[in-house]
Amino acid sequence: MSQSDWTAVDAYLVEALQAPDPVLEQALADSAAAGLPAINVAPNQGKLLQLLAQTQGARRILEIGTLGGYSTIWLGRALPPNGRLISLEYEARHAEVARGNLARAGLAKQVEVRVGRGVDLLPDLAGEAPFDFTFIDADKASNPDYFAWALKLSKPGSLIVVDNVVRGGGVTDAKGDANIQGIRRMMQMIAAEPRVTATAVQTVGSKGWDGFCLIRVVT
Ligand code: SAH
Ligand code: DHB
Ligand code: MG
């Protein structure tokens, strides 16, 4: 079993359980037309993020790594009417595409995309915290910083989800590149952090072999 099988099964699952969504499809089309890389979450992963945020009853959501706003739309739609999502993006060009996609999704009022390096923008978010749900999905080398900030900006009961913690199996390479080192150091931090309880699961699908780490803030 490999990529073509995983893609076929994802196509089946999405077709079986998820209605066609012109707004999300246009978001991907506009992202591609603007030359953004197709490294958004898969449709069934987006729905998973949405279900998790809904289960949280999330009113404040933080995302690190907006790209064209695809995962942002999934999460923004989990918000109640008075809810708010802040998404951080380094590339102004990506943020511009995302803002267009979010406006088309009717989320312009509830979602704010801030442009800059995650590590530079996170210290400014104390006034918006605590976040009920955080999705970490930017440069993987910075994951230790992102986890530390997400924890600081959380409260007991908050959920933090980290994308791409498996990287086609690369996470097991103790001598891996800066991205792998970032994931592995974050894992060590999580393991040593008494305020959280966490697990990680591998995924295969249309976006390849990867995984999510789920971290619940306990105290
Ligand atoms: N969450 C998106 C995908 C994000 S891809 C989705 O699933 O639809 C990762 C994004 O992180 C890219 O847009 C990239 O420009 C951005 N990024 C890279 N380095 C960053 C940094 N230091 N701070 C904030 N964003 C960064
Ligand atoms: C990459 C980043 C992602 O967030 C992702 O989901 C897949 C790939 C990357 O930088 O290659
Ligand atoms: Mg990702």
Side-chain angles (χ1 to χ4, degrees):
M1 293 286 283
S2 66
Q3 186 59 59
S4 61
D5 303 282
W6 305 340
T7 300
V9 173
D10 257 6
Y12 164 73
L13 295 172
V14 171
E15 155 90 23
L17 295 177
Q18 300 183 209
D21 192 314
V23 168
L24 284 165
E25 282 156 23
Q26 193 63 48
L28 292 182
D30 281 18
S31 298
L36 273 52
I39 56 176
N40 51 277
V41 293
N44 45 349
Q45 296 176 329
K47 185 92 183 258
L48 172 65
L49 294 172
Q50 181 178 85
L51 290 170
L52 290 169
Q54 286 169 334
T55 301
Q56 279 300 103
R59 217 171 55 75
R60 298 169 194 252
I61 298 177
L62 170 63
E63 177 177 69
I64 311 172
T66 318
L67 192 63
Y70 183 78
S71 56
T72 323
I73 293 173
W74 278 109
L75 289 169
R77 288 174 170 177
L79 289 169
N82 63 348
R84 183 163 160 74
L85 187 159
I86 297 178
S87 188
L88 311 181
E89 172 55 52
Y90 177 63
E91 298 284 350
R93 201 166 54 89
H94 297 185
E96 222 29 67
V97 174
R99 288 187 186 113
N101 287 330
L102 288 158
R104 194 190 293 110
L107 290 166
K109 279 205 172 122
Q110 285 176 282
V111 178
E112 182 186 347
V113 181
R114 296 191 181 180
V115 176
R117 289 180 200 278
V119 289
D120 295 332
L121 298 175
L122 284 159
D124 294 335
L125 289 178
E128 317 282 349
F131 294 95
D132 310 295
F133 185 98
T134 298
F135 181 46
I136 298 176
D137 191 23
D139 56 311
K140 315 311 172 193
S142 300
N143 274 358
D145 290 324
Y146 296 153
F147 169 68
W149 274 108
L151 179 58
K152 210 185 298 249
L153 297 169
S154 291
K155 66 179 184 189
S158 294
L159 183 67
I160 301 166
V161 176
V162 187
D163 194 21
N164 311 117
V165 299
V166 172
R167 306 280 293 196
V171 69
T172 58
D173 180 4
K175 296 191 169 71
D177 65 15
N179 292 319
I180 297 297
Q181 296 306 328
I183 296 164
R184 291 175 64 93
R185 257 196 62 219
M186 178 192 70
M187 293 292 195
Q188 291 172 340
M189 287 171 66
I190 294 167
E193 175 53 67
R195 290 172 289 175
V196 305
T197 178
T199 190
V201 289
Q202 303 183 66
T203 55
V204 295
S206 58
K207 295 293 174 175
W209 174 23
D210 218 314
F212 290 110
C213 187
L214 286 83
I215 305 136
R216 178 177 164 87
V217 179
V218 178
T219 54

